[in-house]
Amino acid sequence: SAACLGLGAWGTLLIVPTQSSWDSDLSPLEMSQFQLEHARLLFKEYDRDHTGISFSELKALLKVRLKHLLVKCTSLDSRHKALDVGAGPQGKDKAPSAMRKVRKQAFKAADKEYNRRLDFQEFLAVFSFFFIRVGGCRVFKEADDGILIIPEGAPNSPKYFFNLLQLEAFADDIEQRRRFAIDAELVLRARTPATRMCML
């Protein structure tokens, strides 16, 4: 086991345990660190009131981010065809009834707390369903068993997260590291004479 740092309520520093192993009976939802970062960015962008992703927010996300989707999951759509989930004129929902049904069923399958909001861990199942393993229904069951992240540069050292606090702390830590790396790169570039001349 290991630990990662994150900020809790009121900016308090948290040391959150993570695991590199898990019960062999479990089949956690697996994704790369890059996919986790992408999901985190979308979650923060569309969770406008910071209460979790609502169905209307998910619908808005899919309209913008997806143009065509091949739904392969027979329990969500038996017709196995490409479905348009884009937005029409003035943002009108032009998705056919089959796609609207898929969106509703995917949201319902992920909402384990039945509060009509998806927390970040629940959202990862929906994200995986629509963006990674398109139409793969098993993602919802796998998310119940936890989330398995494959870190950049360390494919043989996956990180297993069994609760939301761990997952958010890890995602926030990655985001902070990215920001530090960008800041460091900007400072380095600013110190380069050629760069300074271009900036004048």
Side-chain angles (χ1 to χ4, degrees):
S1 63
C4 60
L5 301 179
L7 291 178
W10 311 107
T12 55
L13 189 64
L14 301 173
I15 301 178
V16 183
T18 64
Q19 292 180 228
S20 56
S21 62
W22 55 95
D23 192 319
S24 59
D25 292 334
L26 299 178
S27 299
L29 177 62
E30 181 178 327
M31 62 178 56
S32 69
Q33 179 179 315
F34 178 79
Q35 291 166 336
L36 176 71
E37 292 181 75
H38 184 196
R40 189 64 169 166
L41 289 173
L42 290 179
F43 185 85
K44 287 188 171 182
E45 179 179 353
Y46 286 90
D47 180 21
R48 297 183 177 90
D49 56 3
H50 308 292
T51 60
I53 296 289
S54 66
F55 179 71
S56 62
E57 289 169 338
L58 176 64
K59 186 167 70 173
L61 185 160
L62 294 176
K63 282 184 184 180
V64 173
R65 300 293 175 172
L66 289 180
K67 294 301 180 184
H68 295 278
L69 173 68
L70 177 63
V71 176
K72 304 174 184 177
C73 180
T74 56
S75 65
L76 292 182
D77 176 47
S78 59
R79 285 179 279 184
H80 298 267
K81 68 176 185 177
L83 299 171
D84 189 351
V85 295
Q90 289 80 48
K92 184 179 179 181
D93 185 2
K94 64 176 183 178
S97 59
M99 188 61 236
R100 291 195 293 270
K101 182 179 180 182
V102 169
R103 290 188 310 214
K104 289 179 180 178
Q105 290 183 334
F107 186 91
K108 184 178 180 180
D111 183 17
K112 302 301 182 181
E113 296 183 359
Y114 306 104
N115 59 1
R116 298 182 181 180
R117 297 278 174 172
L118 302 182
D119 62 32
F120 184 53
Q121 185 166 344
E122 292 170 334
F123 174 73
L124 286 181
V126 174
F127 175 83
S128 184
F129 177 81
F130 284 109
F131 293 93
I132 303 175
R133 289 160 52 187
V134 180
C137 292
R138 285 187 57 83
V139 298
F140 302 106
K141 174 62 175 68
E142 291 171 0
D144 290 343
D145 288 346
I147 308 295
L148 189 68
I149 304 300
I150 310 301
E152 281 186 2
N156 297 321
S157 301
K159 302 296 182 184
Y160 172 67
F161 300 93
F162 54 87
N163 65 47
L164 179 63
L165 180 63
Q166 288 182 318
L167 191 60
E168 289 188 323
F170 182 74
D172 290 341
D173 179 66
I174 293 173
E175 181 180 357
Q176 191 67 27
R177 289 173 185 271
R178 293 286 191 199
R179 289 178 179 174
F180 286 154
I182 292 171
D183 289 344
E185 179 67 20
L186 289 174
V187 170
L188 182 63
R189 288 173 180 263
R191 291 176 178 172
T192 304
T195 305
R196 285 204 301 269
M197 291 179 65
C198 292
M199 295 174 65
L200 295 177

